[in-house]
Amino acid sequence: MSASVTGRAARGPSRLQMREWLDGYLYAAPFILGFLFWIAYPMGYSIWLVLHDWDLLTPQRFVGLRNLERMIDDPSVPLALANTAFFALVGVPLHLAFAFLLAMALNVPLRGRSAFRTAFYLPAITPLVASAVLWSRIFHPEFGILNEFIGLFGVPAQKWLFQPELAKPALILMGFWSVGPQMVIFLAGLQNVSPTLLEAASIDGAGPLQRFRHITLAVMSPVILFNLIVGVIGSFQIFAVVLIMTDGGPQNATLMAVLYIYRNAFQFFKMGYAAALAWLLFLIIVAFTALQFWISRRWVYYEEAR
Amino acid sequence: MSARTISRRSMLRLGGISAFAAALAACAAPAPTATPPPAAKPAAVAAQPAPKAAEKPAGVATVTLEFTSWGTDNGAWQKLVDTYKEKAPNVTVKLTPVPGGDTYYQQLQTSIAGGAKPDIASYQGWEWQPYAERNVLAEIDGYMTTDRFTGAWPDFETVKTHTIWKGKRYHVPMQMGVMVMLYAKKPFQDKGIKLPTDDWNFDQFLDTATKLADPAKKQFALQANGVWARDIHWIRSSGKQEFDQIVEPKKAQFNQPEIVDVLQIMASDVYHKQKISPTPADLQGGANTIESGNTAMKYEGPWFLPTLNDPKLREQNKAVPFDAVMMPIYKDPKRPHRGWSEGVNLLKGDKQDAAWQFGKFMAGEDGQKIYSELSGRIPNNPELAEKFWLPTVKTRYGVENGAAFLKAFANAVPDVIGEVSRTKIWTEAVKPLGWDPLIAGSATAKDVMPKVDQKLQSILDDHWKNKK
């Protein structure tokens, strides 16, 4: 037990405290250095690049705010952002709803539940490129099994990735295949829903929908918020799938923000402009996330806060 | 705990420091070798007298050359590397094949930026100019003069356009690139239709195609390429060109009646009106192609010959008997065909001399024989093409009318060359505003070409404004 604090505080930290601090920083050093080298430095460099033109072959050339001015005049920028926003804001809620329903279904004690959970999670660990190639085949207008399936219901074959109106919905449809991680997180959250509460509500006359809405959803709201934020951030960064399956087509219907950044950086070799676009996307994602947090005060219930 | 034992805290501290030190050691980056210094003595290099021409310098230390190649070309590049090793044992060429296409230049450019540039690299004849402009490539005029090696640059205007930039030569051709109509014989024979000949015209071509096609049975006449770069042939044969000048264009001119008319047919009606071509959707996954037997004709180049018919395919019973014919005569009586040089460029550095010797070998007769035999491509000059390419394509690929390629090259015109890359022109303007709606059938050429011109003009204006 330490002696009176008063005298010691005036003299600063003790040797023991300093050693403890040093130990702490030493253990955290790999992460701190990694963060500085792999994250903070590239971010700082990219801000610097925003003010320059660089084609990778010649030294960077200072251009001031020209990249930002170009961004304002570039019609591909609002197009790419609109496409991305559509994909994120329509796709994510649908995927989450599906993941939630799956989690509810797999929370029921039934035989082979583990096998089902594994099966639904497996697509999440499939390499993205392989998934993209697979889904290209599924969406094939002539030989794809999706058209075969909808044909059973009398729906004519669709051109999916070749029709501007259907290309984004097709990508959203593909997203349902990989809801495994969200499902697992929901499943974990569902374990916190107290059966006692549900039983008590049932005794008080609450029906299944009321129990679901006022108890299950309420308890799950922080988990839903987490999945929503992570999902929106991830969807805003969609890239590999679009590059492989549609390359932004047809007619720029799937030109997403990150794809446009990639094109400017590595096809048109305008690294400065690409950096400016990347920062724009970053700020939009931060704004969306902040907005979600702000709105969450109205609907997210934290048990510990009571 | 005795006084001699290390406490857990100390043990953990030591472990953490060791791990951190090991990570630092492992992450120690090698000093970047010559990050591209654009101001590296260009004048001095140009003024230098031609370097020594010794083919096999005796007593010289071994040299390792890094060679980035456009794909594997059916093993041709590797064979060249192996053969050169026998000729110049002190030179080791490390071959890095990179799949051809847009990603090739992305990888090349990032490797240059990352300080890992090759000594010699494949380039298409219209793609290397921005690199020369930025002082990345070595001029070769001096080497050519000293070694008296000029055979790889036959006297065609298109060869000059594709190998010279601002009065200096940089590009070493490995092939004469040209495209003609390849046709599978079976669809013609099945329908009793006369095989096309070099003197056919556009109306005959459309008429033949209409007779060949049976879309209900997924039998098509023409595997339309669906990209502006290849449809350039139709544009030029209308007698017009889509830019004010082919080298360093300043004005976009897609919206001309002749161009609009021909593109309406070849980029849209072939899918939706005449229905003689499989759409991109039909082609997905390799279906409905000339190789699969569903399509009778395709506008292609000699690199495609092994895809249709070669000894391996014949063994597997998968060969498609085919032949070649010049493109049909359209409005331009000069009958232009797209033609270019494609080959390699030397990158500036201290191994330029050795890289030149290797490039010279590949572009010389011995190298050309190896390259064209395995890749099917036409050698870099007509004499070599007559000498061994024509006989080879007949025996190896079954092409009777290989002369069509050579006649087409005699009428060759370049595509477009300049610092605004074809990729940018295509990706930003021509594809989304022009070809996509045309191929989808959602707009006519008359609707879309003004938009293409408008967008393209803004790209060109932006480039020229920034250049000043």
Side-chain angles (χ1 to χ4, degrees), chain A residues 19-20 23 26-27 29-30 33 55-59 61 66 70 74-76 136-137 139-143 159 161-162 249-252 260 262-264 266-270, chain B residues 9 12-13 16-17 20 36 38 102 105-106 109-110 112-113 130-131 134 136 218 279-282 284-285 287-288 421 423-424 427-428 431-432 436-437 440 442 455 462 466:
Chain A
R19 237 172 63 184
E20 285 183 355
D23 285 348
L26 268 176
Y27 297 142
L33 285 170
D55 60 8
L56 295 179
L57 297 178
T58 50
R61 187 168 56 103
R66 193 174 347 134
R70 184 186 284 157
D74 184 352
S76 297
S136 294
R137 298 291 181 269
F139 285 128
H140 194 286
E142 201 176 325
F143 306 116
K159 291 203 172 166
L161 300 174
F162 294 91
Q251 297 174 57
N252 280 341
Y260 192 54
Y262 169 82
R263 275 193 189 160
N264 275 283
F266 297 106
Q267 288 183 356
F268 310 150
F269 299 106
K270 297 208 174 298
Chain B
R9 179 187 289 268
L12 286 171
R13 191 186 303 153
I17 293 171
F20 176 54
D102 289 336
Y105 295 106
Q106 289 163 31
Q109 197 142 336
T110 45
I112 293 170
Y131 295 77
R134 286 157 180 78
V136 174
K218 289 293 182 192
T279 63
D282 292 321
Q284 200 194 4
N288 301 308
S421 69
T423 304
K424 187 170 172 72
T427 314
E428 280 219 350
K431 180 180 189 290
D436 274 354
S442 58
K455 175 69 181 180
D462 191 48
N466 292 333

Side-chain angles (χ1 to χ4, degrees), chain A residues 99-156:
Chain A
F100 195 93
L101 283 172
L102 265 184
M104 296 272 296
L106 291 174
N107 202 33
V108 171
L110 49 83
R111 190 171 249 200
R113 184 168 64 167
S114 303
F116 282 114
R117 287 178 179 179
T118 308
F120 279 113
Y121 190 78
L122 270 178
I125 60 172
T126 307
L128 207 51
V129 172
S131 304
V133 171
L134 171 70
W135 275 90
S136 294
R137 298 291 181 269
I138 291 173
F139 285 128
H140 194 286
E142 201 176 325
F143 306 116
I145 58 170
L146 185 59
N147 275 340
E148 291 274 345
F149 178 70
I150 63 174
L152 296 172
F153 302 97
V155 179

